[in-house]
């Protein structure tokens, strides 16, 4: 690892602190180095707040050192006025002459303009340090702006004998397959993504809340497929506490925190769902079930990650877990549960 990679790696570490809080903005980290020593660092903490470069500059005790320093940033400094002024202007104003960037920003308002502005001001700019890692850091942001769809995460829990749910449920509540640590991890994941989606059968059988009650974080937007509007109105999904989008074949007036979106169930459902989520500026979504909904996304080959828990219990009969193929990235044990992470190959 060379010296530039060392400091961009630190930028990535810092940026991850903002996961779940910066939407619609990307995750960005920045460090300022003088004579091979970090004298300032920062990350973008939430949308509307100062960007990473601003926080890094503000953390430097002796501002006179900035003109002799190098600033590292995981993503191209912005060049436009949004909720905050352009970071490229700040770098130029502070007299920082050397800028090392992880990757170019795909957002149309930036997309190389920040780099161009810095170079025209006489800065020495180097781009593409740990580029793949910096793009992976913002896989949601890149997918949203380049593919015009959200980053899609499939998640389910299955029994040791391969079932996702029992054949019959006596009560309208989830039948838990995994332990408390796995459940808490799922709630952490929910706080990191912008939306969470379930199908009609899951909404009816489990009456899920789809919130982050086991983790301190922002609730994702709830999305539910309800073609014929069969889900009971007293369901937790319709309690008005969280923005909820209902995908249906009917035209129905929306209300506070409850939005009805009409789609054509005779056409490509998954593509239409992605279009609705994109229109609502949702950069990521966790598909939490049920089996039919998960398999629909798998069969359409519209998914990016799969996170699959396997518990120790057995149902002997029930609803089979989805069938898919992907590249396994990792395998982790949470007590006696097993978690396998895959990416779409």
């Amino acid at each position: 690892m060379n010296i530039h990679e060392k400091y961009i790696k630190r930028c990535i570490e810092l940026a991850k602190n903002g996961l779940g809080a910066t939407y619609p903005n990307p995750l960005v980290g920045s460090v300022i180095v003088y004579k091979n020593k970090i004298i300032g660092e920062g990350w973008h903490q939430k949308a509307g707040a100062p960007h990473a470069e601003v926080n890094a500059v503000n953390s430097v005790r002796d501002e006179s050192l900035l003109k002799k320093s190098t600033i590292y940033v995981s993503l191209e400094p912005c060049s436009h006025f949004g909720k905050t002024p352009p970071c490229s202007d700040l770098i130029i104003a502070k007299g920082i002459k050397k800028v090392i960037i992880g990757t170019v920003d795909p957002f149309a308002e930036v997309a190389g303009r920040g780099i161009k502005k810095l170079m025209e001001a006489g800065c020495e700019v180097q781009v593409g340090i740990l580029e793949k890692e910096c793009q992976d850091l913002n896989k949601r942001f890149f997918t949203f702006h380049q593919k015009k769809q959200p980053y899609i995460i499939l998640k389910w829990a299955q029994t040791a004998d391969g079932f996702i749910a029992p054949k019959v449920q006596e009560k309208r509540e989830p039948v838990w397959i995994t332990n408390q640590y796995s459940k808490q991890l799922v709630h952490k994941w929910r706080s990191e993504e912008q939306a969470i989606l379930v199908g009609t059968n899951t909404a009816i059988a489990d009456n899920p809340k789809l919130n982050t009650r086991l983790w301190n974080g922002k609730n994702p937007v709830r999305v539910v497929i309800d073609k014929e509007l069969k889900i009971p109105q007293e369901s937790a999904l319709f309690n008005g506490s969280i923005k909820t989008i209902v995908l249906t074949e009917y035209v129905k007036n929306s209300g506070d925190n409850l939005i009805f979106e009409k789609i054509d169930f005779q056409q490509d459902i998954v593509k239409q769902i992605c279009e609705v989520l994109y229109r609502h500026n949702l950069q990521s979504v966790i598909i939490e079930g049920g089996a039919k909904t998960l398999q629909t996304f798998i069969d359409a080959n519209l998914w990016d990650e799969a996170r699959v828990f396997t518990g120790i219990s057995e149902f002997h009969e029930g609803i089979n877990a989805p069938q898919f193929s992907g590249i396994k990235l990792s395998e982790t044990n949470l007590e006696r549960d097993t978690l396998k992470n895959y990416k779409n190959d």
Side-chain angles (χ1 to χ4, degrees), residues 46-100:
K46 65 178 182 178
H51 289 186
E53 300 93 320
V54 177
N55 289 329
V57 167
N58 289 342
S59 72
V60 175
R61 293 183 179 180
D62 185 354
E63 194 170 304
S64 68
L65 297 178
L66 289 174
K67 293 182 180 180
K68 307 173 223 177
S69 300
T70 300
I71 187 167
Y72 291 81
V73 60
S74 55
L75 187 71
E76 175 186 2
C78 61
S79 56
H80 67 295
F81 281 88
K83 291 184 178 179
T84 58
C87 292
S88 53
D89 287 359
L90 174 69
I91 292 169
I92 294 166
K94 295 298 181 181
I96 303 172
K97 293 298 183 183
K98 193 167 184 181
V99 185
I100 310 298

Side-chain angles (χ1 to χ4, degrees), residues 81-328:
F81 281 88
K83 291 184 178 179
T84 58
C87 292
S88 53
D89 287 359
L90 174 69
I91 292 169
I92 294 166
K94 295 298 181 181
I96 303 172
K97 293 298 183 183
K98 193 167 184 181
V99 185
I100 310 298
I101 299 168
T103 187
V104 175
D105 190 331
F107 181 44
E109 293 292 328
V110 186
R113 292 182 178 87
I115 294 168
K116 182 182 178 184
K117 183 181 282 192
L118 290 167
M119 294 178 70
E120 288 176 346
C123 296
E124 178 187 341
V125 181
Q126 189 170 345
V127 185
I129 308 300
L130 295 184
E131 185 173 36
K132 186 177 181 299
E133 290 86 344
C134 288
Q135 291 174 351
D136 187 62
L137 167 70
N138 278 303
K139 55 196 175 186
R140 301 159 181 85
F141 186 76
F142 273 72
T143 298
F144 184 80
H145 287 288
Q146 292 178 335
K147 297 184 178 181
K148 311 301 181 188
Q149 67 184 45
Y151 188 85
I152 299 169
I153 301 167
L154 309 180
K155 172 264 160 185
W156 71 86
Q158 61 189 33
T159 61
D161 53 353
F163 296 105
I164 198 173
K167 193 172 184 179
V168 178
Q169 286 182 226
E170 295 179 359
K171 298 180 180 179
R172 283 197 72 203
E173 59 185 35
V175 177
W176 295 109
I177 294 172
T178 53
N179 62 42
Q180 60 181 331
Y181 304 106
S182 298
K183 285 164 63 177
Q184 187 177 44
L185 177 59
V186 169
H187 284 235
K188 177 179 182 291
W189 289 343
R190 290 176 180 178
S191 74
E192 295 169 350
E193 310 305 334
Q194 278 199 284
I196 182 169
L197 183 148
V198 295
T200 309
N201 293 336
T202 297
I204 292 174
D206 292 353
N207 192 22
K209 296 180 177 69
L210 303 185
N211 58 18
T212 57
R213 60 193 178 278
L214 300 181
W215 191 262
N216 183 23
K218 188 176 180 181
N219 291 312
V221 173
R222 301 184 295 203
V223 184
V224 58
I225 301 170
D226 191 6
K227 177 183 177 182
E228 300 174 356
L229 297 178
K230 295 193 301 185
I231 301 171
Q233 289 304 299
E234 66 273 14
S235 298
L237 289 174
F238 302 142
N239 62 15
S241 64
I242 304 168
K243 179 180 176 181
T244 302
I245 300 171
V246 181
L247 304 166
T248 178
E249 66 179 359
Y250 294 103
V251 175
K252 187 170 181 179
N253 292 332
S254 299
D256 292 338
N257 266 0
L258 185 59
I259 299 164
F260 292 89
E261 289 279 4
K262 184 179 184 298
I263 63 173
D264 185 352
F265 283 81
Q266 303 304 313
Q267 302 298 322
D268 188 336
I269 297 173
V270 172
K271 182 182 178 183
Q272 291 178 81
I273 291 172
C274 288
E275 289 171 350
V276 169
L277 298 184
Y278 180 79
R279 199 163 62 243
H280 282 269
N281 294 312
L282 298 169
Q283 292 184 12
S284 65
V285 60
I286 302 178
I287 313 296
E288 280 214 6
K292 181 180 178 181
T293 301
L294 287 160
Q295 195 66 56
T296 300
F297 276 83
I298 292 168
D299 292 345
N301 198 33
L302 268 175
W303 63 279
D304 297 287
E305 284 183 37
R307 301 172 182 177
V308 183
F309 290 95
T310 302
I312 60 169
S313 60
E314 295 186 355
F315 287 164
H316 304 295
E317 63 176 359
I319 299 171
N320 291 319
Q323 299 297 308
F324 78 111
S325 64
I327 299 171
K328 188 168 78 170

